[in-house]
Structure formats: structure tokens, C-alpha cells
Amino acid sequence: MRLPLPLASSLAAALLGASGCGPKEETLHPIAAERAPILPEAESDEHPLAVLRRGDLVARVRSLQPLDWKGSLDGQDATRSGELLEVRRAPAETAGLVFASDLGEPVKVPAAAWLCRQMGAPTECEGRLHRILLGDRLVAYDPCSRGSCQVAVIRDRRVAALAIDGLTDLHPEVIEGQQVLVATSRWVRHPLWTGADKVVLRVGDSLERALCIHVEDVDGRSPPSIQRMGALTIENGALTFRGTRRLIGAADGRIILSDAIHEVYHLAKKEPRN
């Protein structure tokens, strides 16, 4: 599936505004498939570097020979066949390979340098910036991994940003009928206390924190060490965490106690403004 040219043009107009001088633009290609593998090598059974989602924007580098591929996408068997393209999500990232059939028509979006300045991000952001088309909005984020990392939503040249510590990844989801962004935040509070959170952001013309869910917590500061590990999924439209909480002996690494965790998180209804 490819985005038709009129739609691509209207997206650019919504992002940049209908008239007047705007920021410098770049031409990128959106992922048009629900899920798309990005491969490190042109091998028929290559494991994906990552799975791209609909709306993720990539820069096309060059065309390669066709390939027949089979593998796993988010735990499901998948196949692809046809022309391969070398692409980059960000200039400083290693290039990967995607199938041309997974890309939509090119769109023009604000350049990384302009976005990073508007977001209040450091100059290193330009080489790391990821962008996602989300309806008539553009989402941009700097996966800086350490310290304060910027996330922004852009529409009609208006940039609304906030910071998430230790941001490594971000993707859109629809939870209980509400459009959100789910960010992965990794943290180190002590050499022996590390973890990761999923931060849920409501997205409109601005960004708003809705939930913060601990998905990983390893605390070895005093015996026994405590480990909370698991995965966050969407079940029946709601965010669901399934995992384990374990107490681990310091001397021999023995599991003293292990309890299953099943938690369901709901988004509060957003009250309309008068």
C-alpha cells in the first residue's frame, strides 16, 4: 500500500502551513505497511534489525537487487519479495534494508536541524532524530538514551515538546480509542539499581503524560536482590503488563521467591474543554 501523491502533498501542507516562508524541508518515505522488517544484510532468512511501523519515516539511500525473504515480525511468520532499498531513519544511524513494497510515496517534512532547534535539543540530535507521520501531524524524537531527551509534535509549524529521561524508542498506539505515543525510557539510579519504564503520552496539538509503567526494575543494592521483569502489550484495547517479581539470593543466585504479575492499566477519559 502506498500513500497517494495528493495525500502526501496535503500532509506536507498541514505540517508546514499553507503559505509563507517555512523551514528547510527534507524528502522522506513513510512506511505504508502495518509492520515492515529492516534487515542488516540481503539474506533470505536474515533476522530483522528492528520492525518498523506504519508512519515511520526513512531516507532512501539506494536500490539493491530483489530478494525473497521469510522471517518473524513481532513473533508472527512473515514473507517479503521484491526490490530492496537501503534506507536510514537518521543520518548518524547504520543503514538498513527494507522492501520497496513497504514504502509509501515521498513526503516533505521539516529538516532535522530546524526541528532539533525548535525542540530545544542539542546539536547531536540532528544525527539521531527519528520522525513519524501521525495523521496530519509529525512526531519527532531524539533517542538520546541518557539524560533529557526531547519529543515533539508538529502541526502548522507549531512545535510542542517535552522531555523524557533516557528515551530509547517511541511508537504510536491507539489505547481505548485514544491516540497515544508509547515511549521506552531506561534509567540508572545507582550502579546496582537499573530499570526501564513505558511512558504513555496523549498526543494532540501538544503532548501530555498519561501513564508511567515500570516494566523492568533490578535492585541489587542489598540482599536479596529484587527483579521485576516483563512485557507490556495491548489486550482487549487496554495496556496489560505480564511478568514476574523475583527475590534472588546474593551468595548463590538462587531464586528465593517468584511471583507472577498481571496488571491492567486504563487511560482516564479526556474531558473536553469548554
Side-chain angles (χ1 to χ4, degrees), residues 52-218:
L52 301 179
R53 297 165 180 259
R54 183 185 297 276
D56 283 337
L57 289 169
V58 297
R60 179 171 171 165
V61 179
R62 60 179 177 137
S63 298
L64 301 176
Q65 294 295 321
L67 177 71
D68 294 326
W69 174 84
K70 62 180 179 180
S72 176
L73 288 180
D74 291 341
Q76 301 293 320
D77 291 338
T79 60
R80 291 290 192 280
S81 183
E83 180 189 7
L84 275 178
L85 300 174
E86 187 178 59
V87 301
R88 283 190 174 89
R89 291 197 72 185
E93 289 187 353
T94 301
L97 308 177
V98 302
F99 286 88
S101 58
D102 285 332
L103 291 189
E105 296 293 340
V107 295
K108 291 185 180 297
V109 297
W114 182 86
L115 286 169
C116 291
R117 287 195 301 272
Q118 296 299 312
M119 293 161 61
T123 55
E124 293 82 0
C125 163
E126 296 177 26
R128 301 184 298 232
L129 191 71
H130 287 192
R131 282 160 284 185
I132 304 167
L133 279 181
L134 191 61
D136 61 355
R137 294 167 175 82
L138 178 70
V139 173
Y141 69 97
D142 177 15
C144 71
S145 300
R146 299 181 64 181
S148 182
C149 309
Q150 297 297 314
V151 181
V153 59
I154 301 96
R155 186 172 186 271
D156 292 337
R157 299 185 198 156
R158 294 191 297 269
V159 179
L162 56 72
I164 294 178
D165 289 342
L167 177 66
T168 61
D169 181 62
L170 180 143
H171 66 271
E173 293 284 4
V174 176
I175 307 296
E176 298 176 315
Q178 300 183 53
Q179 180 69 67
V180 300
L181 301 170
V182 180
T184 302
S185 166
R186 304 202 66 85
W187 47 265
V188 177
R189 295 174 182 162
H190 183 276
L192 298 177
W193 188 16
T194 62
D197 298 333
K198 295 290 186 180
V199 181
V200 181
L201 305 174
R202 285 193 179 90
V203 56
D205 288 336
S206 62
L207 298 171
E208 177 186 338
R209 294 173 187 266
L211 291 170
C212 181
I213 302 166
H214 298 299
V215 294
E216 182 181 316
D217 192 330
V218 180

Side-chain angles (χ1 to χ4, degrees), residues 2 8-9 20 30 36 46 59 135 162 172 181 207 211 218 227 256 268 270 272:
R2 289 176 178 263
S9 299
E46 189 72 31
L162 56 72
L181 301 170
L207 298 171
L211 291 170
V218 180
Q227 297 182 357
I256 300 171
K270 184 72 172 175

